[in-house]
Amino acid sequence: MNTDILIIGSGPAGIQAAIYAARRKVDVIILGKLENSSLAKAHVENYFGISGPIVGIDLLRVGKEQAEKFGAKFIEEDALHLERKDDKFIVKTEGGKEVESKAVIFAMGVSRKKLGVKGEQQFQGRGVSYCAECDCGFFKGKKVAVIGDGSAAASSAILLAKYASKVYLISKKLSTSEHLQDELKVGNIEIIEGKRISEIYGNSAVGGIKLDGSSLEVEGVFIELGSKGVIELAVNVGLLPDPRGYIHVNEEQKTSVLGIFACGDICGPPLQLAKAVGEGCIAGIEAAEYVKRISKLEKQTV
Amino acid sequence: MNELEEIRRKKMEKLVKEIGEKNPSAQNYPKAPITITDENFDQIVQQYPLMVIDNWAPWCFPCRMIAPIIEEMAKDYAGKVVFGKLNTDENQRTPLKFGVMGIPTLLIIKNGKEVDRIAGAVPREYIESKLRRYLHE
Ligand SMILES: Cc1cc2nc3c(=O)[nH]c(=O)nc-3n(C[C@H](O)[C@H](O)[C@H](O)COP(=O)(O)OP(=O)(O)OC[C@H]3O[C@@H](n4cnc5c(N)ncnc54)[C@H](O)[C@@H]3O)c2cc1C
């Protein structure tokens, strides 16, 4: 699939960017799941023009319809991998799709990465990990657990199965693409659904986890909530988030990498709807202008 | 930078200067992170009284987020703290000995012994807040 602008994230920032870009007659594809937006669970009272509390998911649905009306295409899947090929960007989705794009807008928001259970902090770096790609090598031949419900957990389990002797994928309810579900059918991956982790225990390092009262012995616990985050997607194309995980942009919402824009919570505080749509507006306009400029230059130089 | 960070930075500069005056041999300490390997580890941690060793690997994304902080701090703390970088891909014995099971991990080593560690990519202020007490001691 080919497009002019690819937007990763369908929260208010991404959808607003899609609306502005699509109205400028460039092709727009937007990835992500509305229900995973921070706004989906919010009751908003401090946004211009809205006085009574309004349910966030309703705003998102209306926004999606608006963007579609102007021609933006929605793919309700997570991005798993982003890379650069010549002067284009290629994204791989959890459904196995590949989208090639001239410009990318990051609008992934911020999401909870910590579980908040006993032992999690104590054992970080001693068996508890938030990055399967980084730490898989330390768990060769060992038993590990992966915690999470979405595409990040599923793809991490698939990676870890190549190193660990056994991978338990523990989720309340796994919600990911069929493509990933198929890849999870590996001999040493066991899916445990519907159980809640209440504690990570051990002495000097992780010894196991408590699941609804019963114990499961593992040496590694990989916490992979939600979708692949900004770090995993950004660093591959040469974009370095600050240590808080935020992406720095200039007043045109441009990042330090040519062709990549960012908007919304991902750019840092205030983590508010009004700021997200404001930045989305600028990112959408600037990305569209950028794509038109390079298309014109390409034509001139043949 | 906010006001609090600015005040902390000034205090730290003063402290660093005082220690430097007390220990003139520290003038020759490296101003950039030095490469630590399984082979040179023991010798190097004996040589410098206070060290921060960054366990990292090239393919680790969060490691790349703190790499510039380590570079910066090596310069700012030159003479007081020596920073080292240990590639866990090429050197597996030392991480194993210390029970490092994730990267990035910063080991704070005082007089050859681990006194503290920091796991994961964290802001500079957090590393400084941990280091402060070992500088004072
Ligand atoms: C409980 C709660 C209450 C709030 N109340 C208010 C309020 O009253 N007023 C206010 O102004 N703000 C409020 N906020 C904040 C507001 O919701 C956020 O500032 C806003 O949603 C940010 O928009 P965003 O588009 O940047 O990110 P988000 O809305 O978080 O959207 C991010 C999108 O990116 C997608 N995504 C993430 N990773 C990937 C990936 N790898 N591939 C594809 N897609 C991906 C997600 O699925 C989601 O669709 C509240 C937030 C919460 C959690």
Side-chain angles (χ1 to χ4, degrees), chain A residues 101-136:
Chain A
S101 181
K102 291 178 188 153
V104 174
I105 299 178
F106 278 168
M108 286 95 98
V110 290
S111 57
R112 195 169 67 99
K113 293 285 167 213
K114 306 244 153 141
L115 262 182
V117 299
K118 194 173 160 214
E120 179 175 6
Q121 205 184 345
Q122 182 191 349
F123 293 116
Q124 189 185 349
R126 296 180 186 268
V128 170
S129 169
Y130 300 90
C131 177
E133 287 88 348
C134 305
D135 299 336
C136 50

PDB file of all heavy atoms in Angstrom, chain A residues 101-136:
ATOM      1  N   SER A 101       5.116   5.262   2.791  1.00  0.00           N
ATOM      2  CA  SER A 101       4.634   6.631   2.874  1.00  0.00           C
ATOM      3  C   SER A 101       5.757   7.646   2.709  1.00  0.00           C
ATOM      4  O   SER A 101       6.916   7.368   3.029  1.00  0.00           O
ATOM      5  CB  SER A 101       3.954   6.828   4.226  1.00  0.00           C
ATOM      6  OG  SER A 101       3.466   8.130   4.328  1.00  0.00           O
ATOM      7  N   LYS A 102       5.381   8.842   2.189  1.00  0.00           N
ATOM      8  CA  LYS A 102       6.390   9.893   2.008  1.00  0.00           C
ATOM      9  C   LYS A 102       6.661  10.632   3.314  1.00  0.00           C
ATOM     10  O   LYS A 102       7.748  11.133   3.538  1.00  0.00           O
ATOM     11  CB  LYS A 102       5.900  10.900   0.962  1.00  0.00           C
ATOM     12  CG  LYS A 102       5.862  10.328  -0.436  1.00  0.00           C
ATOM     13  CD  LYS A 102       5.331  11.360  -1.422  1.00  0.00           C
ATOM     14  CE  LYS A 102       5.113  10.693  -2.776  1.00  0.00           C
ATOM     15  NZ  LYS A 102       4.071  11.363  -3.544  1.00  0.00           N
ATOM     16  N   ALA A 103       5.610  10.759   4.132  1.00  0.00           N
ATOM     17  CA  ALA A 103       5.772  11.450   5.416  1.00  0.00           C
ATOM     18  C   ALA A 103       5.048  10.656   6.499  1.00  0.00           C
ATOM     19  O   ALA A 103       4.109   9.911   6.210  1.00  0.00           O
ATOM     20  CB  ALA A 103       5.216  12.861   5.340  1.00  0.00           C
ATOM     21  N   VAL A 104       5.494  10.827   7.733  1.00  0.00           N
ATOM     22  CA  VAL A 104       4.869  10.123   8.858  1.00  0.00           C
ATOM     23  C   VAL A 104       4.550  11.129   9.954  1.00  0.00           C
ATOM     24  O   VAL A 104       5.348  12.037  10.223  1.00  0.00           O
ATOM     25  CB  VAL A 104       5.823   9.031   9.425  1.00  0.00           C
ATOM     26  CG1 VAL A 104       5.238   8.397  10.684  1.00  0.00           C
ATOM     27  CG2 VAL A 104       6.095   7.953   8.389  1.00  0.00           C
ATOM     28  N   ILE A 105       3.366  10.986  10.541  1.00  0.00           N
ATOM     29  CA  ILE A 105       3.042  11.806  11.717  1.00  0.00           C
ATOM     30  C   ILE A 105       2.904  10.871  12.915  1.00  0.00           C
ATOM     31  O   ILE A 105       2.094   9.943  12.908  1.00  0.00           O
ATOM     32  CB  ILE A 105       1.728  12.597  11.515  1.00  0.00           C
ATOM     33  CG1 ILE A 105       1.856  13.546  10.319  1.00  0.00           C
ATOM     34  CG2 ILE A 105       1.374  13.383  12.781  1.00  0.00           C
ATOM     35  CD1 ILE A 105       0.584  14.344  10.003  1.00  0.00           C
ATOM     36  N   PHE A 106       3.713  11.107  13.939  1.00  0.00           N
ATOM     37  CA  PHE A 106       3.604  10.338  15.182  1.00  0.00           C
ATOM     38  C   PHE A 106       2.538  10.958  16.068  1.00  0.00           C
ATOM     39  O   PHE A 106       2.632  12.124  16.437  1.00  0.00           O
ATOM     40  CB  PHE A 106       4.926  10.382  15.962  1.00  0.00           C
ATOM     41  CG  PHE A 106       5.951   9.403  15.479  1.00  0.00           C
ATOM     42  CD1 PHE A 106       7.268   9.496  15.925  1.00  0.00           C
ATOM     43  CD2 PHE A 106       5.634   8.375  14.615  1.00  0.00           C
ATOM     44  CE1 PHE A 106       8.231   8.582  15.507  1.00  0.00           C
ATOM     45  CE2 PHE A 106       6.587   7.458  14.186  1.00  0.00           C
ATOM     46  CZ  PHE A 106       7.893   7.575  14.629  1.00  0.00           C
ATOM     47  N   ALA A 107       1.517  10.176  16.403  1.00  0.00           N
ATOM     48  CA  ALA A 107       0.461  10.670  17.297  1.00  0.00           C
ATOM     49  C   ALA A 107       0.024   9.528  18.212  1.00  0.00           C
ATOM     50  O   ALA A 107      -1.156   9.276  18.398  1.00  0.00           O
ATOM     51  CB  ALA A 107      -0.710  11.204  16.478  1.00  0.00           C
ATOM     52  N   MET A 108       1.028   8.822  18.775  1.00  0.00           N
ATOM     53  CA  MET A 108       0.739   7.615  19.558  1.00  0.00           C
ATOM     54  C   MET A 108       0.319   7.896  20.994  1.00  0.00           C
ATOM     55  O   MET A 108       0.035   6.959  21.736  1.00  0.00           O
ATOM     56  CB  MET A 108       1.974   6.701  19.598  1.00  0.00           C
ATOM     57  CG  MET A 108       2.254   5.978  18.309  1.00  0.00           C
ATOM     58  SD  MET A 108       3.453   6.940  17.398  1.00  0.00           S
ATOM     59  CE  MET A 108       4.961   6.138  17.790  1.00  0.00           C
ATOM     60  N   GLY A 109       0.340   9.150  21.401  1.00  0.00           N
ATOM     61  CA  GLY A 109      -0.056   9.461  22.774  1.00  0.00           C
ATOM     62  C   GLY A 109       0.927   8.895  23.785  1.00  0.00           C
ATOM     63  O   GLY A 109       2.038   8.475  23.437  1.00  0.00           O
ATOM     64  N   VAL A 110       0.534   8.913  25.042  1.00  0.00           N
ATOM     65  CA  VAL A 110       1.344   8.251  26.062  1.00  0.00           C
ATOM     66  C   VAL A 110       0.456   7.200  26.695  1.00  0.00           C
ATOM     67  O   VAL A 110      -0.742   7.396  26.841  1.00  0.00           O
ATOM     68  CB  VAL A 110       1.847   9.228  27.158  1.00  0.00           C
ATOM     69  CG1 VAL A 110       2.879  10.162  26.602  1.00  0.00           C
ATOM     70  CG2 VAL A 110       0.715  10.002  27.787  1.00  0.00           C
ATOM     71  N   SER A 111       1.048   6.071  27.038  1.00  0.00           N
ATOM     72  CA  SER A 111       0.202   5.053  27.644  1.00  0.00           C
ATOM     73  C   SER A 111       0.904   4.513  28.869  1.00  0.00           C
ATOM     74  O   SER A 111       2.099   4.683  29.049  1.00  0.00           O
ATOM     75  CB  SER A 111      -0.086   3.944  26.649  1.00  0.00           C
ATOM     76  OG  SER A 111       1.131   3.404  26.210  1.00  0.00           O
ATOM     77  N   ARG A 112       0.125   3.867  29.668  1.00  0.00           N
ATOM     78  CA  ARG A 112       0.660   3.279  30.879  1.00  0.00           C
ATOM     79  C   ARG A 112       1.605   2.150  30.498  1.00  0.00           C
ATOM     80  O   ARG A 112       1.273   1.293  29.693  1.00  0.00           O
ATOM     81  CB  ARG A 112      -0.514   2.730  31.683  1.00  0.00           C
ATOM     82  CG  ARG A 112      -0.222   2.397  33.112  1.00  0.00           C
ATOM     83  CD  ARG A 112      -1.526   2.120  33.828  1.00  0.00           C
ATOM     84  NE  ARG A 112      -2.143   0.905  33.314  1.00  0.00           N
ATOM     85  CZ  ARG A 112      -2.071  -0.289  33.901  1.00  0.00           C
ATOM     86  NH1 ARG A 112      -1.426  -0.427  35.025  1.00  0.00           N
ATOM     87  NH2 ARG A 112      -2.654  -1.341  33.377  1.00  0.00           N
ATOM     88  N   LYS A 113       2.799   2.150  31.087  1.00  0.00           N
ATOM     89  CA  LYS A 113       3.755   1.083  30.793  1.00  0.00           C
ATOM     90  C   LYS A 113       4.001   0.219  32.023  1.00  0.00           C
ATOM     91  O   LYS A 113       4.497  -0.882  31.915  1.00  0.00           O
ATOM     92  CB  LYS A 113       5.081   1.681  30.308  1.00  0.00           C
ATOM     93  CG  LYS A 113       4.989   2.380  28.958  1.00  0.00           C
ATOM     94  CD  LYS A 113       4.889   1.387  27.814  1.00  0.00           C
ATOM     95  CE  LYS A 113       4.483   2.059  26.516  1.00  0.00           C
ATOM     96  NZ  LYS A 113       3.673   1.214  25.642  1.00  0.00           N
ATOM     97  N   LYS A 114       3.672   0.766  33.193  1.00  0.00           N
ATOM     98  CA  LYS A 114       3.938   0.012  34.432  1.00  0.00           C
ATOM     99  C   LYS A 114       2.668  -0.707  34.886  1.00  0.00           C
ATOM    100  O   LYS A 114       1.562  -0.200  34.730  1.00  0.00           O
ATOM    101  CB  LYS A 114       4.395   0.967  35.530  1.00  0.00           C
ATOM    102  CG  LYS A 114       5.576   1.835  35.119  1.00  0.00           C
ATOM    103  CD  LYS A 114       6.800   1.570  35.941  1.00  0.00           C
ATOM    104  CE  LYS A 114       8.009   1.901  35.111  1.00  0.00           C
ATOM    105  NZ  LYS A 114       9.107   2.536  35.705  1.00  0.00           N
ATOM    106  N   LEU A 115       2.863  -1.875  35.481  1.00  0.00           N
ATOM    107  CA  LEU A 115       1.737  -2.669  35.975  1.00  0.00           C
ATOM    108  C   LEU A 115       1.224  -2.158  37.311  1.00  0.00           C
ATOM    109  O   LEU A 115       0.033  -2.185  37.580  1.00  0.00           O
ATOM    110  CB  LEU A 115       2.199  -4.098  36.212  1.00  0.00           C
ATOM    111  CG  LEU A 115       1.968  -5.172  35.200  1.00  0.00           C
ATOM    112  CD1 LEU A 115       2.504  -6.474  35.764  1.00  0.00           C
ATOM    113  CD2 LEU A 115       0.507  -5.301  34.850  1.00  0.00           C
ATOM    114  N   GLY A 116       2.176  -1.747  38.165  1.00  0.00           N
ATOM    115  CA  GLY A 116       1.814  -1.310  39.512  1.00  0.00           C
ATOM    116  C   GLY A 116       1.547  -2.451  40.474  1.00  0.00           C
ATOM    117  O   GLY A 116       0.653  -2.356  41.306  1.00  0.00           O
ATOM    118  N   VAL A 117       2.325  -3.542  40.352  1.00  0.00           N
ATOM    119  CA  VAL A 117       2.158  -4.634  41.328  1.00  0.00           C
ATOM    120  C   VAL A 117       3.393  -4.733  42.219  1.00  0.00           C
ATOM    121  O   VAL A 117       4.460  -4.210  41.885  1.00  0.00           O
ATOM    122  CB  VAL A 117       1.909  -6.012  40.664  1.00  0.00           C
ATOM    123  CG1 VAL A 117       0.647  -5.995  39.831  1.00  0.00           C
ATOM    124  CG2 VAL A 117       3.112  -6.449  39.833  1.00  0.00           C
ATOM    125  N   LYS A 118       3.217  -5.409  43.340  1.00  0.00           N
ATOM    126  CA  LYS A 118       4.304  -5.595  44.295  1.00  0.00           C
ATOM    127  C   LYS A 118       5.489  -6.302  43.615  1.00  0.00           C
ATOM    128  O   LYS A 118       5.287  -7.273  42.894  1.00  0.00           O
ATOM    129  CB  LYS A 118       3.785  -6.440  45.466  1.00  0.00           C
ATOM    130  CG  LYS A 118       4.681  -6.430  46.663  1.00  0.00           C
ATOM    131  CD  LYS A 118       4.037  -7.131  47.848  1.00  0.00           C
ATOM    132  CE  LYS A 118       5.127  -7.514  48.819  1.00  0.00           C
ATOM    133  NZ  LYS A 118       4.864  -8.747  49.516  1.00  0.00           N
ATOM    134  N   GLY A 119       6.684  -5.802  43.861  1.00  0.00           N
ATOM    135  CA  GLY A 119       7.883  -6.433  43.318  1.00  0.00           C
ATOM    136  C   GLY A 119       8.330  -5.876  41.975  1.00  0.00           C
ATOM    137  O   GLY A 119       9.471  -6.056  41.568  1.00  0.00           O
ATOM    138  N   GLU A 120       7.439  -5.176  41.296  1.00  0.00           N
ATOM    139  CA  GLU A 120       7.761  -4.691  39.951  1.00  0.00           C
ATOM    140  C   GLU A 120       8.972  -3.767  39.944  1.00  0.00           C
ATOM    141  O   GLU A 120       9.923  -3.956  39.183  1.00  0.00           O
ATOM    142  CB  GLU A 120       6.539  -3.963  39.374  1.00  0.00           C
ATOM    143  CG  GLU A 120       6.765  -3.393  37.978  1.00  0.00           C
ATOM    144  CD  GLU A 120       5.487  -2.783  37.407  1.00  0.00           C
ATOM    145  OE1 GLU A 120       4.477  -2.713  38.137  1.00  0.00           O
ATOM    146  OE2 GLU A 120       5.520  -2.363  36.246  1.00  0.00           O
ATOM    147  N   GLN A 121       8.954  -2.791  40.858  1.00  0.00           N
ATOM    148  CA  GLN A 121      10.045  -1.826  40.907  1.00  0.00           C
ATOM    149  C   GLN A 121      11.328  -2.461  41.459  1.00  0.00           C
ATOM    150  O   GLN A 121      12.412  -2.278  40.928  1.00  0.00           O
ATOM    151  CB  GLN A 121       9.615  -0.651  41.774  1.00  0.00           C
ATOM    152  CG  GLN A 121      10.357   0.606  41.415  1.00  0.00           C
ATOM    153  CD  GLN A 121       9.984   1.747  42.346  1.00  0.00           C
ATOM    154  OE1 GLN A 121       8.989   1.691  43.074  1.00  0.00           O
ATOM    155  NE2 GLN A 121      10.779   2.774  42.333  1.00  0.00           N
ATOM    156  N   GLN A 122      11.141  -3.245  42.509  1.00  0.00           N
ATOM    157  CA  GLN A 122      12.283  -3.882  43.172  1.00  0.00           C
ATOM    158  C   GLN A 122      13.112  -4.726  42.204  1.00  0.00           C
ATOM    159  O   GLN A 122      14.330  -4.744  42.267  1.00  0.00           O
ATOM    160  CB  GLN A 122      11.748  -4.755  44.316  1.00  0.00           C
ATOM    161  CG  GLN A 122      12.807  -5.446  45.124  1.00  0.00           C
ATOM    162  CD  GLN A 122      12.172  -6.481  46.057  1.00  0.00           C
ATOM    163  OE1 GLN A 122      10.955  -6.546  46.251  1.00  0.00           O
ATOM    164  NE2 GLN A 122      13.028  -7.310  46.635  1.00  0.00           N
ATOM    165  N   PHE A 123      12.434  -5.420  41.295  1.00  0.00           N
ATOM    166  CA  PHE A 123      13.140  -6.357  40.425  1.00  0.00           C
ATOM    167  C   PHE A 123      13.406  -5.822  39.020  1.00  0.00           C
ATOM    168  O   PHE A 123      13.816  -6.571  38.147  1.00  0.00           O
ATOM    169  CB  PHE A 123      12.380  -7.684  40.355  1.00  0.00           C
ATOM    170  CG  PHE A 123      12.371  -8.430  41.663  1.00  0.00           C
ATOM    171  CD1 PHE A 123      11.169  -8.655  42.338  1.00  0.00           C
ATOM    172  CD2 PHE A 123      13.547  -8.883  42.226  1.00  0.00           C
ATOM    173  CE1 PHE A 123      11.154  -9.334  43.538  1.00  0.00           C
ATOM    174  CE2 PHE A 123      13.543  -9.561  43.431  1.00  0.00           C
ATOM    175  CZ  PHE A 123      12.345  -9.789  44.102  1.00  0.00           C
ATOM    176  N   GLN A 124      13.162  -4.527  38.801  1.00  0.00           N
ATOM    177  CA  GLN A 124      13.483  -3.989  37.479  1.00  0.00           C
ATOM    178  C   GLN A 124      14.980  -4.141  37.230  1.00  0.00           C
ATOM    179  O   GLN A 124      15.807  -3.783  38.064  1.00  0.00           O
ATOM    180  CB  GLN A 124      13.081  -2.515  37.357  1.00  0.00           C
ATOM    181  CG  GLN A 124      13.220  -2.061  35.903  1.00  0.00           C
ATOM    182  CD  GLN A 124      12.958  -0.584  35.680  1.00  0.00           C
ATOM    183  OE1 GLN A 124      12.468   0.123  36.554  1.00  0.00           O
ATOM    184  NE2 GLN A 124      13.285  -0.109  34.493  1.00  0.00           N
ATOM    185  N   GLY A 125      15.329  -4.710  36.092  1.00  0.00           N
ATOM    186  CA  GLY A 125      16.738  -4.973  35.788  1.00  0.00           C
ATOM    187  C   GLY A 125      17.243  -6.252  36.439  1.00  0.00           C
ATOM    188  O   GLY A 125      18.379  -6.659  36.232  1.00  0.00           O
ATOM    189  N   ARG A 126      16.399  -6.883  37.235  1.00  0.00           N
ATOM    190  CA  ARG A 126      16.765  -8.175  37.859  1.00  0.00           C
ATOM    191  C   ARG A 126      15.700  -9.209  37.501  1.00  0.00           C
ATOM    192  O   ARG A 126      15.297 -10.024  38.312  1.00  0.00           O
ATOM    193  CB  ARG A 126      16.839  -8.025  39.374  1.00  0.00           C
ATOM    194  CG  ARG A 126      17.938  -7.059  39.829  1.00  0.00           C
ATOM    195  CD  ARG A 126      17.925  -6.971  41.333  1.00  0.00           C
ATOM    196  NE  ARG A 126      18.832  -5.967  41.843  1.00  0.00           N
ATOM    197  CZ  ARG A 126      20.100  -6.201  42.199  1.00  0.00           C
ATOM    198  NH1 ARG A 126      20.599  -7.397  42.092  1.00  0.00           N
ATOM    199  NH2 ARG A 126      20.845  -5.228  42.665  1.00  0.00           N
ATOM    200  N   GLY A 127      15.234  -9.113  36.283  1.00  0.00           N
ATOM    201  CA  GLY A 127      14.233 -10.062  35.811  1.00  0.00           C
ATOM    202  C   GLY A 127      13.001  -9.377  35.271  1.00  0.00           C
ATOM    203  O   GLY A 127      12.341  -9.886  34.377  1.00  0.00           O
ATOM    204  N   VAL A 128      12.679  -8.193  35.811  1.00  0.00           N
ATOM    205  CA  VAL A 128      11.550  -7.429  35.268  1.00  0.00           C
ATOM    206  C   VAL A 128      12.072  -6.534  34.156  1.00  0.00           C
ATOM    207  O   VAL A 128      13.037  -5.803  34.339  1.00  0.00           O
ATOM    208  CB  VAL A 128      10.865  -6.574  36.358  1.00  0.00           C
ATOM    209  CG1 VAL A 128       9.859  -5.609  35.726  1.00  0.00           C
ATOM    210  CG2 VAL A 128      10.163  -7.459  37.375  1.00  0.00           C
ATOM    211  N   SER A 129      11.435  -6.626  32.985  1.00  0.00           N
ATOM    212  CA  SER A 129      11.894  -5.842  31.834  1.00  0.00           C
ATOM    213  C   SER A 129      10.715  -5.212  31.113  1.00  0.00           C
ATOM    214  O   SER A 129       9.609  -5.762  31.104  1.00  0.00           O
ATOM    215  CB  SER A 129      12.649  -6.753  30.865  1.00  0.00           C
ATOM    216  OG  SER A 129      12.880  -6.097  29.638  1.00  0.00           O
ATOM    217  N   TYR A 130      10.961  -4.049  30.515  1.00  0.00           N
ATOM    218  CA  TYR A 130       9.940  -3.374  29.699  1.00  0.00           C
ATOM    219  C   TYR A 130      10.338  -3.384  28.230  1.00  0.00           C
ATOM    220  O   TYR A 130       9.735  -2.687  27.432  1.00  0.00           O
ATOM    221  CB  TYR A 130       9.736  -1.938  30.188  1.00  0.00           C
ATOM    222  CG  TYR A 130       9.277  -1.873  31.629  1.00  0.00           C
ATOM    223  CD1 TYR A 130      10.189  -1.796  32.670  1.00  0.00           C
ATOM    224  CD2 TYR A 130       7.922  -1.951  31.933  1.00  0.00           C
ATOM    225  CE1 TYR A 130       9.772  -1.773  33.995  1.00  0.00           C
ATOM    226  CE2 TYR A 130       7.498  -1.937  33.247  1.00  0.00           C
ATOM    227  CZ  TYR A 130       8.427  -1.851  34.271  1.00  0.00           C
ATOM    228  OH  TYR A 130       8.000  -1.843  35.584  1.00  0.00           O
ATOM    229  N   CYS A 131      11.369  -4.134  27.901  1.00  0.00           N
ATOM    230  CA  CYS A 131      11.857  -4.122  26.514  1.00  0.00           C
ATOM    231  C   CYS A 131      12.348  -5.512  26.125  1.00  0.00           C
ATOM    232  O   CYS A 131      13.481  -5.893  26.424  1.00  0.00           O
ATOM    233  CB  CYS A 131      12.979  -3.090  26.362  1.00  0.00           C
ATOM    234  SG  CYS A 131      13.707  -3.044  24.715  1.00  0.00           S
ATOM    235  N   ALA A 132      11.472  -6.281  25.467  1.00  0.00           N
ATOM    236  CA  ALA A 132      11.828  -7.642  25.068  1.00  0.00           C
ATOM    237  C   ALA A 132      13.003  -7.623  24.093  1.00  0.00           C
ATOM    238  O   ALA A 132      13.913  -8.444  24.199  1.00  0.00           O
ATOM    239  CB  ALA A 132      10.619  -8.333  24.440  1.00  0.00           C
ATOM    240  N   GLU A 133      13.012  -6.658  23.172  1.00  0.00           N
ATOM    241  CA  GLU A 133      14.104  -6.582  22.192  1.00  0.00           C
ATOM    242  C   GLU A 133      15.453  -6.405  22.890  1.00  0.00           C
ATOM    243  O   GLU A 133      16.465  -6.933  22.455  1.00  0.00           O
ATOM    244  CB  GLU A 133      13.915  -5.395  21.237  1.00  0.00           C
ATOM    245  CG  GLU A 133      12.811  -5.568  20.215  1.00  0.00           C
ATOM    246  CD  GLU A 133      11.466  -5.102  20.753  1.00  0.00           C
ATOM    247  OE1 GLU A 133      11.366  -4.859  21.982  1.00  0.00           O
ATOM    248  OE2 GLU A 133      10.530  -4.991  19.948  1.00  0.00           O
ATOM    249  N   CYS A 134      15.454  -5.605  23.965  1.00  0.00           N
ATOM    250  CA  CYS A 134      16.721  -5.308  24.654  1.00  0.00           C
ATOM    251  C   CYS A 134      17.227  -6.504  25.433  1.00  0.00           C
ATOM    252  O   CYS A 134      18.417  -6.777  25.468  1.00  0.00           O
ATOM    253  CB  CYS A 134      16.540  -4.179  25.666  1.00  0.00           C
ATOM    254  SG  CYS A 134      15.854  -2.694  24.987  1.00  0.00           S
ATOM    255  N   ASP A 135      16.320  -7.186  26.114  1.00  0.00           N
ATOM    256  CA  ASP A 135      16.751  -8.102  27.171  1.00  0.00           C
ATOM    257  C   ASP A 135      16.552  -9.585  26.876  1.00  0.00           C
ATOM    258  O   ASP A 135      16.871 -10.426  27.713  1.00  0.00           O
ATOM    259  CB  ASP A 135      16.024  -7.737  28.481  1.00  0.00           C
ATOM    260  CG  ASP A 135      16.363  -6.313  28.927  1.00  0.00           C
ATOM    261  OD1 ASP A 135      17.439  -5.829  28.525  1.00  0.00           O
ATOM    262  OD2 ASP A 135      15.567  -5.690  29.645  1.00  0.00           O
ATOM    263  N   CYS A 136      16.042  -9.912  25.674  1.00  0.00           N
ATOM    264  CA  CYS A 136      15.773 -11.323  25.379  1.00  0.00           C
ATOM    265  C   CYS A 136      17.030 -12.178  25.547  1.00  0.00           C
ATOM    266  O   CYS A 136      16.953 -13.311  26.027  1.00  0.00           O
ATOM    267  CB  CYS A 136      15.161 -11.491  23.993  1.00  0.00           C
ATOM    268  SG  CYS A 136      16.044 -10.666  22.682  1.00  0.00           S
TER     269      CYS A 136
END
